[in-house]
Amino acid sequence: MVDIQLFRNGMSLLGGAVTVITTDGDAGRFGFTATAVSSVTDEPPTLLVCMNRNSYAHEHFKTNKTLCVNVLTSEHQGVSWDFANRELTSEERFAKHRWSCLKTGAPALDEALVNFDCVIHESHEMGSHTVFYCRIADVRIGNADDGLVYFNRAYHCLNDKSVAS
């Protein structure tokens, strides 16, 4: 068995896009910050989101059965912090930013790099987390040209100037 801290240290070196995952429906409007998002397949268009089952919002996502993956730009580090801040209420988190809805009704951040509006199709429990398999209902691509990633326990900006030709 691999040491947990060694695993965490290794995973900190696997950079990931910073996202805010949101939901709305019968269970209410909630959201959280995540980097555990990945494409699964394009036929049918599906992605996965991993969420800690101990999260205050976990049951709300399971009940609502919808979510929106809001991929953040370099300008949205504050949005990431707001949705990771356990001292803010759900209402306070959403009040600080501009939102609209796409097909499912889950909140879509207006100035996100991209919004993936989804219906939760299946879920599986693995260790401390639930893996949600989400069918894409709509995609909205924003106007920004840079993304926010989390790597080695810090935020970094990615843009077309980040890669040398």
Side-chain angles (χ1 to χ4, degrees):
M1 181 73 116
V2 172
D3 176 73
I4 291 173
Q5 194 57 51
L6 178 62
F7 173 72
R8 288 178 179 169
N9 290 343
M11 290 303 295
S12 76
L13 301 174
L14 178 63
V18 181
T19 67
V20 168
I21 314 297
T22 57
T23 189
D24 200 356
D26 292 341
R29 187 164 70 159
F30 290 88
F32 68 101
T33 300
T35 56
V37 175
S38 181
S39 170
V40 175
T41 181
D42 62 357
E43 289 187 31
T46 306
L47 58 77
L48 67 77
V49 173
C50 298
M51 182 180 194
N52 192 311
R53 287 197 315 273
N54 290 325
S55 167
Y56 71 97
H58 183 264
E59 287 306 313
H60 302 283
F61 278 82
K62 287 190 83 164
T63 299
N64 288 344
K65 294 184 173 64
T66 64
L67 60 80
C68 187
V69 175
N70 299 282
V71 181
L72 303 184
T73 73
S74 64
E75 302 296 317
H76 291 130
Q77 187 171 333
V79 179
S80 173
W81 282 114
D82 289 341
F83 278 83
N85 184 344
R86 296 177 185 194
E87 295 185 15
L88 293 178
T89 66
S90 187
E91 295 80 20
E92 290 171 323
R93 292 172 180 180
F94 282 100
K96 296 177 108 182
H97 311 285
R98 293 183 319 161
W99 304 90
S100 55
C101 293
L102 303 178
K103 290 183 180 175
T104 71
L109 183 65
D110 285 345
E111 296 179 3
L113 185 62
V114 62
N115 311 97
F116 294 99
D117 191 34
C118 305
V119 174
I120 298 172
H121 179 70
E122 273 185 56
S123 63
H124 293 97
E125 294 184 359
M126 175 58 77
S128 60
H129 283 64
T130 297
V131 180
F132 293 112
Y133 294 91
C134 308
R135 295 267 173 92
I136 310 299
D138 202 1
V139 176
R140 180 174 67 187
I141 298 176
N143 295 321
D145 61 359
D146 61 345
L148 184 64
V149 296
Y150 198 70
F151 173 76
N152 202 14
R153 297 181 175 93
Y155 290 103
H156 300 273
C157 175
L158 281 183
N159 59 38
D160 60 0
K161 296 175 188 113
S162 300
V163 178
S165 299

